[in-house]
Amino acid sequence: MAGGINPEQFCAKPTLIVMNVPDSAQPQQVAVIGGGPAGLMAAEVLSQNGVQVDLYEAKPSAGRKFLVAGKGGLNLTHSEPLDQFLSRYGERRARLEPLLRDFGPDELRQWALELGFETFVGTSGRVFPRDMKAAPLLRTWLKRLRSSGVRFHLRHKWCGWDENGALRFETPQGEKLVHARAVILALGGGSWPQLGATGEWVPLLRQRGVPVAALKPANCGFEVAWSEHFRERFEGQPIKTVALSFTSSQGFSFQQQGEFIITRTGVEGSLIYAVSSYLRDEIESAGNAQVYLDLAPDWTQSSLEQRLSRPRGSRSLASHLKRSIGLSGVKAGLLWEFVAKEDFSDPQHLASAIKKLPLPILQPRPLAEAISSAGGVRFEALDEGLMIRSLPSLFCAGEMLDWEAPTGGYLLTACFSSGRAAGLGVLEWLKTTES
Ligand SMILES: Cc1cc2nc3c(=O)[nH]c(=O)nc-3n(C[C@H](O)[C@H](O)[C@H](O)COP(=O)(O)OP(=O)(O)OC[C@H]3O[C@@H](n4cnc5c(N)ncnc54)[C@H](O)[C@@H]3O)c2cc1C
């Protein structure tokens, strides 16, 4: 998606060119671009250390995705032991571990508390603010940032650099050029682009030789070729408590119990998100993927067989399923969708289908619909302070870095943590380059 954007067309031609506005006359200390959790945390670290920060945000307000995350209760982080927590970042654990050891789940909870927002651990181990809302926390945080001197420039869309290395911003007043001693990009990934993170930065950085892994959907839904009948009847319905198993062609196995939702185009929801990175990668390498559902995880196959073997008399198959094993509604619908009619009259076949129903997965839903993005600026390009080695004074943080994690608070924690790391990186950089 973002790979196809022409950087020249990224910003609309400005109607008015404003050159040498006061901002550009005096080089700014630090420009943070992107007002999500990563950018705001970077700004906080810098301003608390006496650095003048100018924060640029394309949208009319900061933290829009953070606010939407609040609609789900704002799962800030997770309470599991740190080692387990770190394992959620998979192959990127080694890169993120130093950052998360410096500022991880406990530090994030303490930070929220100091801001005035106590957190609690839910039954799943996930951590939420007591009021489960993002808006009050964001409001208080922005107020604190403003009072510590951070200057916000809203409706400022960064469009790259001019030939003199100045940052170019598209603003309602026309183009604005800005020089800064250091810049932190915290532009987010490419999911839910209506909230500001569009992934349009990818070609801008690639053009400057920065290695960027293609943005891909993470924690996303998938397409399934439902029959018209199934779709019409069951779209929007939750499938509660099933066990989902998947084995990749490389032999990797996933098994988890949980819930998901039938959508018009396929499946989505927490259980699907949990397996989504494996399914996405399998589809990428093998063309398709198949998961298996255990529709009755509390039953053994033999007890199912026994119950299903009871005479059904004049009852319909649907009512036999319901009366004998309590299977009805969308779960029974899934059986009708994928099991051959003749297998319904064979208790053994039917029981095995209930315990291991194959669900063919076609492809992930588009990045724009995903909860988060995989891919981004490769860690190999960055130093420990998250500065792009080949472009000194340019730092990156947040979801625009090449990592992914499941839902459960891991996304926000790594965004806060990397924002802080980039802020600290800039502090070091300013010290070493002081004239
Ligand atoms: C529906 C939903 C629910 C979620 N719930 C949770 C949850 O409960 N827990 C969790 O851990 N995670 C959750 N997430 C993920 C989490 O919100 C993101 O991972 C996180 O917001 C990323 O932070 P960021 O600062 O890197 O980027 P973003 O929050 O995306 O912020 C990037 C900012 O940069 C700005 N920007 C982009 N391009 C430009 C430009 N060219 N010029 C100027 N500004 C620009 C954008 O407008 C945006 O404000 C959820 C995501 C979604 C979509």
Side-chain angles (χ1 to χ4, degrees), residues 5-14 159 161 168 203-204 207:
I5 295 162
N6 175 356
E8 301 305 322
Q9 293 162 1
F10 172 18
C11 284
K13 284 265 175 280
C159 309
W161 295 267
R168 292 175 53 221
L204 295 174
Q207 210 174 50

Side-chain angles (χ1 to χ4, degrees), residues 10-11 33-40 56-59 61-66 68-70 72-77 126 128 156-159 169 186-189 191-192 195-201 204 369-373 397-400 403 406-413 415-416 418:
F10 172 18
C11 284
I33 311 179
L40 295 176
Y56 296 89
E57 167 55 52
K59 289 284 181 185
S61 60
R64 291 189 168 206
K65 193 175 275 185
F66 187 71
V68 168
L74 193 65
N75 180 195
L76 273 178
T77 189
R126 295 175 182 220
F128 304 88
H156 278 59
K157 180 176 176 179
W158 175 65
C159 309
F169 289 96
L187 304 168
S191 78
W192 288 52
L195 302 175
T198 57
E200 288 167 291
W201 53 267
L204 295 174
E369 292 176 19
I371 296 291
S372 59
S373 312
E399 204 180 303
M400 70 179 291
W403 57 274
T407 58
Y410 309 103
L411 298 167
L412 280 175
T413 309
C415 290
F416 280 111
S418 59

Side-chain angles (χ1 to χ4, degrees), residues 23 28-33 52-56 150-153:
D23 273 356
Q28 290 172 359
Q29 280 276 71
V30 179
V32 174
I33 311 179
Q52 177 60 57
V53 178
D54 285 88
L55 191 140
Y56 296 89
V150 176
R151 295 189 294 224
F152 284 82
H153 307 264

